[in-house]
Amino acid sequence: MKPVLEVRDIHKSFGGIHAVRGVSFDVRPGEILGIIGPNGCGKSTLFNCILGQLPPSSGEVWLEGERVTGLRPSQLNRLGVSRTFQLLQVFPKLSVRENLILAGQEHRGSMLSRLLGPGDAGLTPDADKMIAFFKMQHLADERAGGLSFGQQKLLDAAMAFMAGPRLVLLDEPAGGVNLTMLGNLKERLKAINEEQGATFVVIEHNMDFVMSLCSRVVVLAEGKVLAIGTPADIRANQAVIDAYLGH
Ligand SMILES: Nc1ncnc2c1ncn2[C@@H]1O[C@H](COP(=O)(O)OP(=O)(O)O)[C@@H](O)[C@H]1O
Ligand SMILES: [Mg+2]
């Protein structure tokens, strides 16, 4: 089957800092791919290069057989690629439902929704489905800013799945989330993958989270791919144990 995403030999330098040094991998339809690696190894920069937030210094990004290198984030959105950022992007003054509606409009990138202004653009039923899927019914009308941090992270993840994207990239969705919410988030991400066939890539520090959620894992070290494989492959990989798991 054709990969959903192919990342080919991406490099990114910031002045003298060579943050990403020739990273290649693909994402297969219906899989959850994990990306792990120590702080500063280039994970977020790689996402930014894939998503058009940053131009790669070299290399290519292909989406379902179409070269999309250098497209703007809004163009990629329209092609069905969405993301979360390492830091929360929810709108604190809007309700949970309004946040989801806004995310749906953003992903559609439709001029129509902008012309129609702040209406719901017909997205309320989709937002309510997402609320039910993420088990947030009791929070639907709450202001996002009033939710716990873990609930906000859950909302942030749910927003990325609005409008049925082809591919979602999640940057540390579990960062700073307590154990109960962590289990909740993992269960919901697994469910959206299994029940709705969502394909996504997740950067995460929490090793147990990645190992129990992902079908394959990419290990980055100093901007390079140290290993790619199933969680079992990665656990048994001597280079990974030496560089990362051994600590
Ligand atoms: N906009 C930027 N300008 C300069 N250096 C950056 C920028 N973004 C990231 N870096 C540097 O690139 C390296 C990789 O950072 P990052 O991709 O955030 O790592 P990670 O997400 O794996 O923690 C770090 O050395 C970081 O300081
Ligand atoms: Mg990061």
Side-chain angles (χ1 to χ4, degrees):
M1 238 189 299
K2 195 165 54 173
V4 177
L5 180 79
E6 278 180 83
V7 172
R8 296 184 189 163
D9 201 21
I10 293 282
H11 286 257
K12 180 65 188 177
S13 297
F14 302 102
I17 300 171
H18 199 166
V20 178
R21 304 168 178 237
V23 171
S24 302
F25 61 86
D26 60 10
V27 182
R28 300 166 189 167
E31 85 167 332
I32 307 177
L33 184 80
I35 300 184
I36 60 174
N39 253 330
C41 73
K43 303 181 296 297
S44 293
T45 302
L46 180 63
F47 264 22
N48 288 335
C49 288
I50 294 170
L51 284 147
Q53 252 91 22
L54 287 172
S57 305
S58 64
E60 295 186 347
V61 182
W62 291 71
L63 183 70
E64 285 178 359
E66 188 183 347
R67 189 175 177 276
V68 297
T69 326
L71 293 190
R72 288 192 304 276
S74 59
Q75 293 173 304
L76 282 160
N77 257 327
R78 250 166 279 160
L79 292 173
V81 185
S82 76
R83 77 169 298 177
T84 68
F85 290 85
Q86 191 164 353
L87 300 173
L88 275 167
Q89 298 282 311
V90 303
F91 298 94
K93 290 191 175 152
L94 299 183
S95 73
V96 165
R97 184 182 289 109
E98 288 165 340
N99 266 281
L100 286 161
I101 290 168
L102 218 83
Q105 289 179 332
E106 184 81 14
H107 298 170
R108 280 185 185 172
S110 80
M111 288 306 286
L112 191 63
S113 67
R114 273 176 218 156
L115 289 172
L116 292 172
D120 85 332
L123 285 164
T124 297
D126 290 354
D128 283 340
K129 266 188 225 152
M130 200 56 86
I131 286 166
F133 195 84
F134 277 82
K135 300 184 174 169
M136 300 181 91
Q137 292 96 327
H138 57 301
L139 301 169
D141 297 309
E142 299 287 325
R143 282 174 55 247
L147 306 183
S148 73
F149 180 73
Q151 289 167 334
Q152 290 188 46
K153 291 288 276 189
L154 195 62
L155 171 60
D156 198 33
M159 286 164 68
F161 289 95
M162 279 293 288
R166 289 201 269 182
L167 177 69
V168 176
L169 307 193
L170 304 164
D171 196 348
E172 299 202 21
V177 171
N178 72 37
L179 266 182
T180 310
M181 282 304 288
L182 200 81
N184 198 354
L185 178 67
K186 190 170 76 183
E187 182 220 41
R188 290 296 89 205
L189 291 177
K190 243 189 161 37
I192 207 160
N193 169 256
E194 284 168 6
E195 293 169 28
Q196 303 187 12
T199 304
F200 50 98
V201 182
V202 50
I203 290 176
E204 192 41 65
H205 259 296
N206 186 312
M207 192 62 85
D208 292 338
F209 187 91
V210 171
M211 292 301 196
S212 56
L213 180 67
C214 301
S215 43
R216 289 188 306 144
V217 177
V218 177
V219 183
L220 289 186
E222 295 174 356
K224 288 186 188 159
V225 175
L226 192 61
I228 301 184
T230 64
D233 293 338
I234 296 301
R235 277 209 188 87
N237 183 300
Q238 196 56 46
V240 176
I241 293 167
D242 291 346
Y244 192 44
L245 295 177
H247 299 180

